Amino acid sequence: MAQGTKRIMLAGVGGQGILLASRILSAGLIKAGYDVKSSEVHGMAQRGGSVVTQLSYGEKVYSPIVGAGAVDLLITLEKLEALRYVHFLKRNGTLLMNEREIPSLPILTGAVDYPKDIKERLSKYPISLYTIDADQEAEKLGNLRVMNVVLLGAMVKLAGLDDLVDWPSVVAESVKPAYREVNFKAFAAGAALV
Amino acid sequence: MQKIILSGNEAVAEGAYIAGVGLGIGYPGTPSTEIIEVLEKKGGPECAWSINEKVAMEQAYGACVAGLRSLVTMKHVGVNVAADPLFTFAYMGINGGLVIVTADDPGMHSSQNEQDNRWYALHAKVPMLEPSNSQECLDYAALAFDLSERYDVPFFLRMVTRVCHSRSLVEIDTGKVYKRQARDYERNVSKFVTLPAHARARRVILEENLAKLSKDTEARAVNTMEITDQDVGIITSGASYNYVKEAFGDRYSVLKLGLVYPFDQEIIRDFARQVKKIYVVEELDPYLEFNVRAMGIECEGKKYISPFFELNQQVVATSLARAGLEPLEELDPAAKEPAPDVPVRPPILCAGCPHRAFFYLARREKATVVGDIGCYTLGAAPPLDGIDVSACMGGGYSIALGLSINPPEGKKIFGVVGDSTFYHSGITGAIDAIYNKRDIIPVVLDNRITAMTGHQQNPGTGQTMSGDATFMQEPERIFMAVGYDRVLEVNAFDLKGIRDAIREAKETQDRVALVIKSPCRLIKGVKKGPLMEVDTEVCSKCKSCLRLGCPAISLGDEEYPVIDPLSCTGCGVCEQLCKKEAIRVKDQEVSR
């Protein structure tokens, strides 16, 4: 809540690559001279459960976490998670949602249905909603795993941070040399989607 | 000096490294695990995973008696396991510095309770530093070693999940070369042998040392006052300080306590003189509030702030708004409530998890199961629904012993632990069962690794923490050595084998134990089986396969189950389960 501090939250399913996306983002923000604090979830929650990372940046940041109603930009790597965490956004906040659907256990076993009207329900909130199919972009690039970096590219653009630093070099420092090229492309593809 | 981003856990390891720690030891437990792992990777100090927190604590103490600076880490409930020696070590004092990390988990992200371990400091008379960010983690870890040696006391470093697993900038000399700090060993029986006569003398010395410590300039320097308002002052510490600053900025005066035991009464009195009204903001119990009130100073805290779950700046702002405090920003949320009717997404056993088949069959066979702490606690979740009781490390056997005295429906009780848990504190219950002739069936779900905390080695893996080959324990041999007649060893994916073993164990008069074995599918190099698929021509839509709760199997079009080729690991359990033989190996065109 300290003035000028921006709050970003990433949500998805364990194994989707949230930690890497969040770490690349914070590396870029630090390079640009911001104070950054972020919070990750480890342990039991990672076993296919809902996973959240929060990141705040500004001149001086104290808290690594954000409560409901105070997030500026929410990125969800999965649709159901968008619905689960939309109330974390501020009024007029931005939601970037990946079109991917991953059924959770009650859905897998047929106890409940995967909600069909997620986009419609989200459109009723006082927020700016962007949806992209990051998995499809990643597939086009021949590596499904770079879906997180596609979203990162879109997120950086939406947050107005694209000119902040040389993002390709930040990405390069965060991934293994063999995967640099595909991650550069993924980042650029994501930025071009929004 | 360089500025880099580190997690709190990484920063503690760096601080200990800079302090020349000679031993880093612990038992894995979220959120503490990475500290020892990071320290081990840096190279230099001796690092190890111990079999449990008590053994880790005692080893660390032994190393400190021998003159080394020692770091021992555990999660909050681990301190309960190590509490016996802890209280006495405080009397005995140290030789090399001894720092104990307690990693608490407010909100129970990955724990069975949210006990507030600040009370351990007060109770065991062990001084405690509480960092609020990664820089303080590094600084306080190093400071704790100095103070420990200066005042002849062990030291606590109290972390919480949001400090351990938060990342923030740290100023650090990354080129610093490791230099082991060590003191000479001096035999000192009156100090290190706690005969009652010796302990009585040490008891007095401890009080004197604590009194001296509470006046130490360097120790007191971590307690800081920010006087910006004469009317309202907030006393806080650790993670809660961050929330106070985000909520109120410089609007009110703040006293931040870095040393939460022994209590720095001088600075608290000074603060109380400078502000008219005091509020205490702290997560979980009213530990600070209790201590401030005990000094005769009026304050309010838990009257407004929740005594349970995690805090954050919004919770602090909203809570203290009721006391008339004004936050920097008014909350303007996109929605007042979470969206209704969102299907839950609980953590589940992975596709191909070797624990799945046992829990599935235990439920089918109507077994009463006492579980334990690990990935396999997830065997309790529907649709597996395979656990009746589960509480703590080792309880898988020991609680079962108690149940067997008045067994529900007269049945034998199955006690279930994992491999690491077996060595941690399962063995004792297994021996008690023989000694007291309790009719339980001890089961080890042996997946050859400490899985939940991120794959740490344990006595059953044949490797030390650093990957050196060592003796490989086997639960079968231990069971036989302590008096079991037979051990039924079954492959974790052999449905018929497990069912037969459960039935045999229930019926036989022999003392039997079960070992259900197969490595965790997430261990590098563990081979996948052939991909499975559902033949819709044969499938009768009975949905039996869905009762496995496998994330690779879902209900698809026209109510036919579908197997996701990306997540299926080919464990074959669903194939064995399907009575119609509708699940079979897929023709593999694509290489995996």
Side-chain angles (χ1 to χ4, degrees):
Chain A
M1 286 201 256
Q3 265 104 11
T5 297
K6 292 280 176 208
R7 311 281 186 186
I8 296 179
M9 174 163 159
L10 286 91
V13 180
Q16 277 193 301
I18 281 194
L19 289 190
L20 180 66
S22 143
R23 286 184 181 190
I24 297 175
L25 180 64
S26 65
L29 292 164
I30 287 166
K31 214 169 213 180
Y34 283 111
D35 188 18
V36 178
K37 284 202 166 69
S38 67
S39 183
E40 302 172 346
V41 170
H42 297 238
M44 182 180 262
Q46 281 184 309
R47 297 277 175 263
S50 174
V51 173
V52 168
T53 292
Q54 296 182 326
L55 182 151
S56 301
Y57 68 97
E59 209 173 298
K60 171 73 189 162
V61 180
Y62 289 96
S63 172
I65 60 171
V66 202
V71 169
D72 294 286
L73 174 57
L74 170 66
I75 299 97
T76 68
L77 286 74
E78 199 275 346
K79 279 170 74 179
L80 197 56
E81 300 312 303
L83 200 55
R84 190 183 321 284
Y85 293 112
V86 64
H87 66 289
F88 269 75
L89 280 170
K90 281 180 179 165
R91 181 181 298 277
N92 302 326
T94 302
L95 169 59
L96 169 64
M97 178 176 81
N98 186 22
E99 294 272 16
R100 179 84 197 274
E101 292 184 2
I102 303 176
S104 66
L105 197 65
I107 300 166
L108 291 173
T109 59
V112 290
D113 289 326
Y114 196 100
K116 299 268 185 286
D117 55 350
I118 290 181
K119 243 191 233 181
E120 199 189 324
R121 286 173 71 179
L122 290 172
S123 67
K124 291 182 182 145
Y125 286 84
I127 56 167
S128 309
L129 173 65
Y130 296 83
T131 59
I132 62 171
D133 192 337
D135 288 87
Q136 194 182 43
E137 289 301 316
E139 204 176 346
K140 279 188 213 162
L141 295 169
N143 186 338
L144 278 171
R145 296 190 67 84
V146 299
M147 174 274 285
N148 55 352
V149 177
V150 173
L151 267 162
L152 178 72
M155 163 187 8
V156 164
K157 179 87 172 293
L158 277 180
L161 299 171
D162 36 343
D163 293 330
L164 194 67
V165 285
D166 178 30
W167 285 101
S169 73
V170 178
V171 172
E173 285 162 23
S174 309
V175 299
K176 283 184 185 156
Y179 296 104
R180 274 181 195 158
E181 196 60 33
V182 69
N183 276 292
F184 291 162
K185 284 182 185 161
F187 189 89
L193 287 175
V194 289
Chain B
M1 295 294 253
Q2 275 179 291
K3 255 191 169 176
I4 55 172
I5 195 161
L6 291 180
S7 71
N9 281 348
E10 290 166 339
V12 169
E14 294 288 350
Y17 185 83
I18 290 166
V21 70
L23 172 68
I25 196 162
Y27 184 79
T30 313
S32 71
T33 315
E34 300 84 7
I35 300 172
I36 300 298
E37 292 181 323
V38 171
L39 189 62
E40 193 271 336
K41 282 207 185 75
K42 289 190 72 73
E46 165 76 14
C47 287
W49 286 128
S50 189
I51 68 158
N52 68 34
E53 293 86 352
K54 180 174 184 282
V55 178
M57 178 82 82
E58 289 159 347
Q59 275 190 70
Y61 189 73
C64 113
V65 170
L68 295 180
R69 288 187 158 190
S70 307
L71 176 75
V72 56
T73 69
M74 57 201 69
K75 68 184 290 168
H76 58 341
V77 288
V79 180
N80 302 338
V81 178
D84 180 5
L86 171 72
F87 281 67
T88 308
F89 292 161
Y91 286 25
M92 295 161 75
I94 50 88
N95 182 23
L98 175 63
V99 176
I100 304 149
V101 173
T102 167
D104 295 10
D105 191 16
M108 295 166 276
H109 295 277
S110 204
S111 305
Q112 60 271 43
N113 78 27
E114 58 171 6
Q115 66 186 53
D116 187 333
N117 276 7
R118 292 176 301 171
W119 297 111
Y120 264 118
L122 183 73
H123 195 185
K125 300 189 176 296
V126 173
M128 178 180 274
L129 289 166
E130 189 179 19
S132 67
N133 57 40
S134 298
Q135 182 72 59
E136 290 178 0
C137 284
L138 185 146
D139 296 342
Y140 289 11
L143 174 64
F145 281 108
D146 289 344
L147 294 175
S148 169
E149 289 179 359
R150 197 175 303 159
Y151 295 101
D152 193 14
V153 282
F155 240 86
F156 263 129
L157 196 61
R158 191 245 184 179
M159 320 263 287
V160 295
T161 299
R162 299 307 189 174
V163 172
C164 294
H165 290 158
S166 288
R167 299 167 64 80
S168 60
L169 287 167
V170 171
E171 264 193 54
I172 184 174
D173 176 5
T174 48
K176 180 115 181 169
V177 180
Y178 174 70
K179 190 167 174 290
R180 192 171 92 164
Q181 299 283 325
R183 289 177 162 186
D184 292 334
Y185 172 73
E186 278 177 47
R187 192 164 186 272
N188 186 344
V189 174
S190 65
K191 176 175 166 66
F192 291 124
V193 180
T194 50
L195 289 167
H198 296 168
R200 280 192 287 272
R202 294 300 310 177
R203 178 77 182 81
V204 177
I205 293 169
L206 171 60
E207 291 298 334
E208 289 165 0
N209 286 339
L210 291 172
K212 279 184 223 154
L213 166 62
S214 66
K215 297 204 166 29
D216 183 282
T217 320
E218 218 184 336
R220 295 188 62 226
V222 300
N223 299 332
T224 52
M225 277 199 283
E226 302 165 29
I227 302 293
T228 54
D229 182 52
Q230 318 296 314
D231 292 321
V232 173
I234 298 173
I235 299 178
T236 186
S237 71
S240 302
Y241 169 78
N242 299 328
Y243 311 144
V244 167
K245 291 302 284 183
E246 292 288 353
F248 304 114
D250 297 332
R251 192 161 278 179
Y252 306 113
S253 296
V254 174
L255 169 59
K256 174 179 183 289
L257 296 175
L259 181 72
V260 295
Y261 183 82
F263 233 49
D264 181 356
Q265 298 205 355
E266 202 177 316
I267 201 167
I268 291 163
R269 288 195 202 286
D270 191 10
F271 189 67
R273 276 193 291 272
Q274 300 194 53
V275 295
K276 290 194 185 101
K277 173 88 190 165
I278 294 178
Y279 295 96
V280 180
V281 176
E282 57 192 322
E283 225 162 31
L284 304 180
D285 294 342
Y287 170 83
L288 300 176
E289 188 180 346
F290 172 92
N291 280 288
V292 172
R293 279 175 193 264
M295 289 171 60
I297 293 170
E298 274 299 307
C299 64
E300 288 183 326
K302 290 300 159 188
K303 185 178 172 188
Y304 301 105
I305 311 266
S306 169
F308 49 81
F309 300 161
E310 267 191 326
L311 300 182
N312 61 43
Q313 55 270 29
Q314 281 77 33
V315 172
V316 169
T318 324
S319 307
L320 286 182
R322 291 204 297 274
L325 270 63
E326 290 170 23
L328 286 185
E329 269 178 52
E330 283 302 323
L331 204 57
D332 187 12
K336 288 214 159 56
E337 309 255 310
D341 306 320
V342 181
V344 294
R345 191 186 297 281
I348 44 174
L349 295 176
C350 305
C353 174
H355 300 326
R356 177 169 283 106
F358 173 79
F359 287 112
Y360 172 79
L361 289 165
R363 194 77 199 116
R364 298 283 115 192
E365 298 294 315
K366 298 188 170 54
T368 303
V369 174
V370 180
D372 210 291
I373 305 295
C375 286
Y376 48 90
T377 316
L378 297 171
L384 290 172
D385 190 23
I387 298 176
D388 291 65
V389 183
S390 170
C392 56
M393 294 291 289
Y397 291 170
S398 325
I399 295 173
L401 296 176
L403 258 86
S404 75
I405 296 165
N406 184 25
E409 296 164 44
K411 293 183 301 193
K412 279 191 189 174
I413 312 293
F414 286 77
V416 177
V417 307
D419 45 335
S420 191
T421 315
F422 180 73
Y423 304 113
H424 179 284
S425 48
I427 292 173
T428 43
I431 297 175
D432 195 303
I434 296 292
Y435 174 56
N436 284 311
K437 303 178 184 177
R438 303 274 181 237
D439 209 4
I440 71 161
I441 302 152
V443 182
V444 182
L445 299 181
D446 188 357
N447 66 348
R448 319 300 296 166
I449 203 84
T450 312
M452 178 60 92
T453 43
H455 285 186
Q456 288 74 33
Q457 303 297 337
N458 68 47
T461 65
Q463 278 182 42
T464 65
M465 176 183 201
S466 27
D468 296 336
T470 185
F471 184 83
M472 192 194 292
Q473 299 289 348
E474 288 177 75
E476 303 86 309
R477 291 168 53 140
I478 293 171
F479 280 125
M480 292 309 289
V482 300
Y484 287 81
D485 298 322
R486 284 185 292 135
V487 177
L488 309 176
E489 193 188 326
V490 195
N491 180 305
F493 301 117
D494 177 1
L495 220 51
K496 184 177 179 300
I498 299 172
R499 184 187 288 118
D500 291 348
I502 291 175
R503 288 181 181 171
E504 187 185 344
K506 275 175 158 180
E507 283 155 22
T508 180
Q509 299 299 310
D510 293 349
R511 296 304 315 238
V512 295
L514 265 58
V515 178
I516 314 282
K517 227 174 206 174
S518 190
C520 171
R521 293 275 129 161
L522 301 181
I523 298 175
K524 265 190 189 152
V526 171
K527 282 196 180 132
K528 290 179 176 183
L531 190 59
M532 296 293 156
E533 71 175 349
V534 178
D535 184 344
T536 50
E537 305 268 300
V538 186
C539 176
S540 69
K541 304 187 192 178
C542 75
K543 298 183 190 168
S544 291
C545 52
L546 289 166
R547 286 190 214 120
L548 284 171
C550 174
I553 311 175
S554 62
L555 205 55
D557 295 341
E558 296 174 43
E559 301 270 297
Y560 285 114
V562 185
I563 296 174
D564 174 18
L566 286 175
S567 44
C568 174
T569 68
C571 75
V573 170
C574 56
E575 181 191 21
Q576 298 165 59
L577 180 82
C578 182
K579 291 199 175 92
K580 298 276 171 197
E581 295 181 10
I583 298 178
R584 54 176 82 121
V585 175
K586 188 177 173 138
D587 299 327
Q588 300 214 333
E589 291 156 23
V590 213
S591 70
R592 301 182 74 203

